Amino acid sequence: MQLTKEHIQSVANPLISPNEHEAVFVRTQFNEESTLETQLFHIDLATDAVEQWTFGEAVSHVQWLRDGSAVSFLSKVEGRQQLFQVNQEGEQQLTFLEESVQHYVWQ
């Protein structure tokens, strides 16, 4: 087998949910344009079912909400990082700021 860019990928930042029944992780790999793409994946720890949760710009600063109902992360919109939330029901943009969000902490 010849190793190609499609075979190169990285899985990082696994985070187990507060209920300990599910987890998320970030996967980075080359896309069709030969640029790196970083997306968020979800895994059900009871069934090992894996589902891709994001499909847009790269994600970073991934955190579970304290109640475990969703995961938050930063991703770029029109060149500026914004805060998002995602769960099995879908993704929602939480901030629409003129400046990029650099860091956030849930209280």
Side-chain angles (χ1 to χ4, degrees):
M1 177 174 81
Q2 182 179 359
L3 185 63
T4 64
K5 67 181 181 198
E6 288 81 18
H7 295 103
I8 300 171
Q9 59 180 298
S10 167
V11 174
N13 300 11
L15 297 170
I16 297 176
S17 69
N19 69 17
E20 300 181 352
H21 298 295
E22 56 191 326
V24 293
F25 61 91
V26 174
R27 184 182 77 186
T28 302
Q29 67 181 35
F30 286 99
N31 62 20
E32 293 171 359
E33 292 81 33
S34 296
T35 57
L36 288 174
E37 186 174 88
T38 303
Q39 300 300 331
L40 182 67
F41 285 76
H42 173 267
I43 183 168
D44 182 310
L45 297 176
T47 66
D48 291 335
V50 176
E51 180 180 12
Q52 186 172 349
W53 270 8
T54 63
F55 296 88
E57 291 283 336
V59 301
S60 65
H61 296 84
V62 178
Q63 298 180 29
W64 279 98
L65 273 66
R66 289 183 186 258
D67 67 2
S69 63
V71 174
S72 58
F73 61 91
L74 297 179
S75 186
K76 286 188 179 179
V77 176
E78 298 177 358
R80 295 183 300 270
Q81 281 197 134
Q82 300 294 329
L83 180 61
F84 289 81
Q85 177 177 302
V86 65
N87 60 22
Q88 291 177 333
E89 297 170 13
E91 181 179 307
Q92 176 182 9
Q93 185 174 342
L94 301 178
T95 61
F96 299 84
L97 303 173
E98 293 291 323
E99 299 292 325
S100 286
V101 176
Q102 299 300 320
H103 303 282
Y104 67 98
V105 176
W106 293 111
Q107 297 292 333

